[in-house]
Amino acid sequence: MRATLEQGLPALGLGPELIEPLETFSRMLLEKNQVMNLTAITDPRDVAVLHLLDSLALTGLAGLEGRTVVDVGTGAGFPGVPLAIARPSARVTLLDSLGKRVDFLRESCRTLGLDNVECVHGRAEEFAGERRETFDLAVSRAVAALPVLCELCLPLVKVGGAFWAMKSVDTEEEISASKTAVKVLGGRIQAVSDYTIPTTEVVHRVVCIQKTAPTPKKYPRRFALIKKQPL
Ligand code: SAM
């Protein structure tokens, strides 16, 4: 893991001081993964590449420093925890509907001394009731198809903010299918950027959506409806 991070971090313009906290977090993740389901990725080098460096690839985009960020469906903390480690000036909210995962994140963030992180157990569509349009940025990876994800994430973002959806590269159809949802929810697709995860030839994608207008009050709907009738 260390060698992969030593090689991968400079490629992202990040310093070696991140190695220790990233390794500590990975160790806690793999240890806890023995007793609860946090990740299917169990080889430390794969954790470094597919969880840590993949999450950290977002630091290449402008818009994290000093911002409020919500990671919707963070699971075991990706991309939110590596981003909070790499960008201490960002205030990161880790949101997940599974209480045990949020307990793991609370414990990990305490151990890491990450005081720029808030861990919230809740559903995105309900969280919008209390924190509607209060975040500069929403990020999300591996949670739902883009039309559904937009309804979970865009209501949380301020006008003028953005939503970054981390996706695989075979998502042309998914992106086309999300155009109505993006528009109805007050967004505009600004860029679709493909990136190579450092130290690998794996190419992933981030869909950057700008929030250009307030989301109409009737969204988000109940999850059953969002899923049954995506916009
Ligand atoms: N983002 C992480 C990653 O890339 O490793 C976790 C992905 S995991 C496949 C999806 C996570 O989204 C699960 O932990 C699940 O509990 C959470 N989730 C699904 N729907 C959600 C919702 N409506 N609100 C909050 N969390 C949700």
Side-chain angles (χ1 to χ4, degrees), residues 127-188:
F127 193 51
E130 44 182 293
R131 302 279 281 273
R132 190 178 188 84
E133 298 187 335
T134 57
F135 292 93
D136 297 310
L137 179 66
V139 294
S140 190
R141 187 182 82 158
V143 174
L146 202 49
V148 170
L149 201 55
C150 282
E151 191 165 344
L152 298 180
C153 294
L154 278 171
L156 293 167
V157 178
K158 291 175 189 168
V159 174
F163 164 41
W164 298 343
M166 299 177 78
K167 290 282 168 188
S168 57
V169 281
D170 58 348
T171 43
E172 296 306 333
E173 272 181 34
E174 191 180 325
I175 294 168
S176 291
S178 72
K179 284 191 176 142
T180 306
V182 171
K183 192 161 176 230
V184 167
L185 296 163
R188 185 180 77 86

Side-chain angles (χ1 to χ4, degrees), residues 37-39 41 50-51 54-55 71-80 95-99 101 120-127 139-144 148-149 152 166 223 226:
N37 177 17
L38 286 170
T39 178
I41 297 169
L50 297 171
H51 280 327
D54 188 39
S55 299
D71 180 6
V72 173
T74 188
F78 302 107
L95 174 68
D96 203 277
S97 54
L98 274 183
R101 291 187 177 165
V120 178
H121 173 212
R123 299 198 59 89
E125 65 277 17
E126 291 164 9
F127 193 51
V139 294
S140 190
R141 187 182 82 158
V143 174
V148 170
L149 201 55
L152 298 180
M166 299 177 78
F223 189 69
I226 297 175

